[in-house]
Amino acid sequence: GTKKYPKENDYNAYLSAHGGYSNAYTDLEDTCYYFEVRYDALGGALDRFSQFFIEPLFTADCTDREVKAVDSEHKKNIQNDMWRQYQLEKELSSPDHPFSMFATGNYDTLSGAARRMGVDLRERLLDFHAKYYSADIMRLVVVGRDSLDQLTEWVVSKFSGIQSKGLTKPLFKGHPLTAREMGQMIYLKSIREQRTLDLTFALPDLKPYHRSKPAQYLGSLLGHEGRGSILSCLRKRGWATTIVAGRAPTSAEGFDMFKITVSLTEPGLENYTEVVRMVFAYIQLLQSKRPQRWFHDELRRISEIEYRFMEKYDAVALASSLASVMQNRYLSAECMLSDSVRLKDFDEDLLVWTQGFLKPDNVRIVLAARDLDVEFDRTEKHYGLDYRTEPISEQLMHEIRGDLEYDELHLPEPNQFIPDNMEVKSERHDTVCEAPTLLKLAEGLELWFKQDDRFFLPRGNVRLLIETPRAYESPLTSVFNQLFMMVLKDTLTEITYDAEIAGLWFEIRDTIEGIVVHIDGFNDKLLQLLEILVKTLRMCKVEQTQFDVYSREVKKKLDNARHSEPYGHVQTNTSFLNQGIMWRFMDKLAAFDLVTIDRLQLFIDSLFEQTRVQMLVTGNFEEREALAAASMVQSLLGSRALPEYARRVPRALLHEPGVYVHHALMPEKGNVNSCVDYSVYTGMTSDHRGRVVLDLLSLIMQEPFFDQLRTKEQLGYITYSTERKYNGGHMTLRLLVQSEASPIYVRMRIDHFLREFRSRLDEMTLEKFDGYVSSLRVAREEKIKNLFEESGRMWRHVSSGYYEFDRIATDLEILRTVSQRELLEFWDTYVDKQRASAYISLAATIWSTKIAQPTDEELEKFGDGVHAVHGSLEHDGERVLSVEHVDRVLRQMDEAGDDEERALERIISEYESMVKGEADVEKAVAKMRKPASHVRTAIAMAREQNKPVCGKADNGLLNMGVVRSPSGDWLFREASAFRATLRQSGAPVPTRPLVPKY
C-alpha cells in the first residue's frame, strides 16, 4: 500500500474491478512497471500508480511475503536451463563488474543475508527507493483515448510529487568480459535433452550508433539461413537445426556483447569444433569482402516498408516498450518510435570496426548438453549447475586464427521477396463488415473471404486447414506428422528465409485435424509464397540426413516433455481428461520404436489421398484472388474430397456429476513444486447466456483468488484463475496453483476460497457489480488493432464449427440484462458444492518427488483433512508422524472438543516425544506455531464439516482401480483407464446457415 491508499492490494483491486491488470519486470538496467485499465478508469489508476513512487509503505508483513514470492519464483526456475546458463555466464564474468551478481535473488540472499548482516531488510528497501526512485532517471509513458491536454494534466498533477534528486542513470564502467574471461571454453550439463553452442564476443557500447545498427547488419549475415549461410552448410552435414546471431540481451549501457547460438544435433555435438571453425570461416569471409552496401540497402528498404505500413498493437505493449526506449540517452525524441524498426545510415568504417571485435582472442565459448562426455569439476551455487571451464585448446585456437575456407560458404543473393506493389485495393465505406463471406462450400472445400475494409494497408492474411484423418489416427501417425513438419520446414528454409526477412511471416504445424498453413504480411508476394509452401508440402521427399536429424529432434522434444514445469503437466492432464482426441508425450514415446524413414515416406505419400480444405483469405486481396488461391491449393494437393462423415472434428469428453481427483507423480525428480489444476464444470459451451455469466464470474474472481492464495497465503508464484470452453462440450471455471505444499492441502485451500467467495458475491454492491459488467463490456467492444487480430478472430469462429461471427454483439446484448441475482444463481447451480444439484469438478494434481504421496489405501481410509495436516507437517519439516498418528490426534480433538490451538499442541507434543535429541526439532516446532502456518490452517480445515458430494454411484469405477474417499470423491491415478469411461460430445452445431456465394 501507499500513504494515500494504505489498504493492501487497493491498486490491483481497483485495476481488476475496472477490467485491468498490472505487472513489472527488471532487466539489467531498468525496472519497468506497467498496467492496463478500462479507459474511463485511467485517472484513478494513475493516481494509485503514482503513489508507489511518492510515498510507499513497504510494511514489514508485505516485505516478508514479497521475499517469499521472489523465492518461489526462483525455485520455479531452478530446473530451467535458460536461467541456469544465464546465471553461470554471470558468475563466470569479471567479479569486479556488477554484471557478475545473482540475477534474481532468493530467500537466503534476501532475508537470510539481512539476518546474517544484522540489518533490517525493510529499511534497506526504503533506502533503495529513496536513493534510486528519482524523477531524473525515470521515464513515463501514458497511452489513452483522452485528449493530450487531459493526459498531460493527469501526469503533471499526479506525478509531480516524485522528487528529483539530481541523479543520472548509473553507467556500468568497464566490461564484464575482460581478457581474463575471454579465450575460455565452458562445458555445462543441461537438464533438458538439448545441445547448444554459444560464441560470445565482447563489444564496446553500440548504443551511440543506433542509426547504423552495426550489430543488426552482422547478425543478419551470420544468422542468415539461405543458401551459402553457416546454417545451410551445417544442415547439409546434419550438424545443426537453428542459428541465432546478434546483440545479446545481456548487453547494457556501457558495454555490449555479440552472441551466436547454434542448436546442434548429436553429430553436431561430436563435431562442435568444426562448427566453431565454420563460424569463424564466415567471419573471415565478411572481413575479406568488406561491408556490402547492397545488402545494407536491402535491410534499410525492408525496414522503411515495415515502418511506413506498421500495424497498431496493444497500448500496454506500446507504453512499456517506449518507456524502455526512452532510457536510451543517445536517442532524440523524433527517433523513439522508429528506432526499433528503421535502419538508416550505411557506415562502412563503423561496420569494419565492429567486425574487428569478432576475433578468436575475443570469444568465450559455451557448450551445453545433457550428455556431454566431460568430467565436471564445479557447481554453480544458486542453481546447482554442474560445469567445467578451461582455456580453448591450442589446436582449435591455432585453426581459427589461421585462414579458413569452405567453398559452400558465400554471401546471400538478392532478396526476390521484397514487395514492389504497395497499392491498397479496397475503398473506404461508412460501415465495416464483421464477418467474412462464404465463397464456396463443396465437398472438399470451404472458402471464406473478407477484403480489408478497416486498416487499408497493403497486407494480407491466409489461413488454411488441410483436414486429413490419417494425421492423428494413432500415436504413431501423430509422431509421423510431427516429424514431417520438421522435415518440411528444413526443406523450405533456404527457399523461404528471404520471404520472412521481407515481411512475410508463416507457420506450418500439425493439428488433430491435419495440417495448418498460415501466412501473414505484405500481400504483394504472399500468394506466391503460399504456392511454394503447398507445392513443397505435397511433393516432399525425405532425405536420410533429414530423417536422422529430425527423428532425433522429435524424440528429444518428447523426452523433454518430462522436464516440463508441474503446471505444464497438470494442464496436459486436464486437457487429456476433457478432449475427445489427444495423444500425450508418453503415448508417442511408446510408439517411437516403429519410426523408420520408409514408414515416414509412406505416411507422407498417403497423407493427402483424401482431404478437405478449410480456408480463410483476408486483407488486401480481391475476391478473384481468393478463388484462384483456393483452386491452386486444391490442384497442388490433387486429393479426392474427404466425405463429411469421415472428418475428425474435435469433440469434448462429458463427465457425470461428482468430484474427481487425478493424482500423478512428477516424472522429473529435481523439481520441488507440485501443482493443482482445479476445474468446476459450469454448463455447456453452446449456452450463450451461461457463457457470458461465466466470463463475468471469471473476471470478478481473478484478483481475489490471486490476492488470497498467492499474495496472502504465499502458496506459490504461479497462481491464477480463468475459464475454459470445450467445443461441443462443457465450460469450466479453472483455478491453478503451483506450490511446494501438498496438493491435497492446496486443493482444500481452493475449496475453502470457493466456499468463502459466495458471500463476497452476495455482499457485492450494485455499483461494484455494474463496474465489472462495464469492464467486460468494454473488453468486448475493444477495437481490433490489426489484420492479424481480425483474421484470428474470424478463424476461431470458422475452425470452432460454431461460425458465431456475431458473438460480440450477442454477448453485449446479454450483458445489458445480466443481473447480480443471475450471477448468484449461476454460482449456486454449478460452483457451490453444497447447493449444486449436479455438481461436477475435476482436480488434476501432480506431486513433487520431494514429498510423500499417500497410498491408495490411505486415500480410501483417511479424509482430505488428515492428509492435509500430514502434508503440512512434512512441509514444515516434520517427517516422523504417520498418517495414522495425525488421524488419531484429530479424532481426539473432535472427541474432546479441542480448539485448533490445543490440537496443534497435541501434534507437537507427539512429535517431540518421537524425535528427542534430533537436530532441527526447535526449528520445525517454531514453524508449526507460526500464526499462518500450514499446519494450523490444515487443522482448521479438517474441522470443517461439509456433506459429501457423492455424485452417481458407479461400482465399475471401483473395479478399474478408482478409489472412493471417505467424503465420496473419486480418486484415480491411471488417466487413460478413467478417460475410457467418459462419453464423447457431439460435434459443434453452426449458429447460422452456411450458404455459399458460388
Side-chain angles (χ1 to χ4, degrees), residues 760-795:
R760 185 168 183 150
L761 293 176
D762 194 28
E763 295 164 7
M764 185 187 301
T765 65
L766 182 59
E767 180 184 10
K768 200 161 190 177
F769 174 79
D770 288 343
Y772 283 114
V773 172
S774 179
S775 294
L776 188 57
R777 185 185 68 250
V778 169
R780 290 290 191 271
E781 292 174 337
E782 184 178 356
K783 291 183 178 179
I784 295 172
K785 289 172 283 296
N786 51 59
L787 180 65
F788 191 97
E789 183 181 335
E790 180 186 56
S791 174
R793 179 182 292 180
M794 292 177 179
W795 183 249

Side-chain angles (χ1 to χ4, degrees), residues 264-317:
L264 301 173
T265 62
E266 289 183 29
L269 180 63
E270 295 171 3
N271 293 277
Y272 78 88
T273 55
E274 186 67 20
V275 177
V276 172
R277 284 192 285 270
M278 193 174 292
V279 170
F280 274 97
Y282 202 90
I283 291 172
Q284 290 181 11
L285 173 68
L286 296 181
Q287 292 170 341
S288 68
K289 296 285 186 181
R290 305 283 294 180
Q292 304 290 302
R293 178 180 284 274
W294 71 268
F295 185 75
H296 185 279
D297 287 346
E298 274 196 354
L299 295 177
R300 180 183 53 77
R301 183 180 165 198
I302 293 168
S303 76
E304 293 287 351
I305 293 171
E306 287 280 6
Y307 183 66
R308 181 184 171 191
F309 300 105
M310 185 184 293
E311 295 181 290
K312 291 182 179 179
Y313 53 100
D314 285 337
V316 71

Side-chain angles (χ1 to χ4, degrees), residues 747-759:
R747 184 165 65 90
M748 290 187 73
R749 294 311 298 156
I750 295 174
D751 265 332
H752 180 81
F753 172 84
L754 292 174
R755 280 197 303 275
E756 297 292 315
F757 196 71
R758 190 193 185 280
S759 62

Side-chain angles (χ1 to χ4, degrees), residues 667-724:
E668 193 272 316
K669 295 183 179 180
N671 205 307
V672 299
N673 284 304
S674 300
C675 194
V676 177
D677 187 353
Y678 193 121
S679 299
V680 181
Y681 292 76
T682 57
M684 302 301 287
T685 299
S686 55
D687 176 6
H688 295 179
R689 194 166 189 91
R691 180 186 68 201
V692 174
V693 176
L694 175 61
D695 289 343
L696 179 60
L697 177 60
S698 177
L699 175 65
I700 295 170
M701 183 179 287
Q702 283 172 7
E703 186 278 330
F705 182 74
F706 181 88
D707 179 55
Q708 181 60 40
L709 277 74
R710 157 73 153 75
T711 305
K712 290 187 171 67
E713 298 189 24
Q714 289 291 304
L715 282 182
Y717 183 77
I718 297 178
T719 299
Y720 64 85
S721 64
T722 184
E723 42 71 33
R724 183 165 180 179

Side-chain angles (χ1 to χ4, degrees), residues 5 36 41 92 145 393-394 469 510 518 573 608 612 616 618 646 685 749 763 799 845 853 897 899 929 956:
Y5 298 101
E36 184 176 76
L92 296 180
R145 65 164 65 178
S393 70
E394 291 184 9
D510 57 308
H518 180 198
N573 292 339
F608 303 103
R612 181 182 187 275
L616 171 66
T618 61
T685 299
R749 294 311 298 156
E763 295 164 7
S799 60
T845 70
Q853 187 179 176
D899 58 13
R929 284 186 170 138

Side-chain angles (χ1 to χ4, degrees), residues 416-417 519 523-533 632:
Q416 303 300 316
F417 279 95
I519 311 176
N523 65 279
D524 184 32
K525 298 178 181 179
L526 190 150
L527 297 182
Q528 178 182 333
L529 176 60
L530 175 65
E531 183 176 3
I532 291 170
L533 297 182
M632 177 264 292

Side-chain angles (χ1 to χ4, degrees), residues 31 61 85 93 109 127 142 173 258 326 328 386 401 541 550 553 562 566 593 639 683 826 873 880-881 909:
T31 296
D61 184 49
Q85 181 169 337
S93 63
T109 62
D127 291 344
V142 180
K173 295 181 180 179
F258 189 91
M326 287 169 66
N328 186 343
D386 293 330
R401 283 174 177 155
K541 298 297 179 184
Y550 292 104
E553 286 299 303
R562 299 180 186 275
D593 289 344
S639 310
F826 183 88
L873 287 166
V880 177
L881 294 178
S909 176

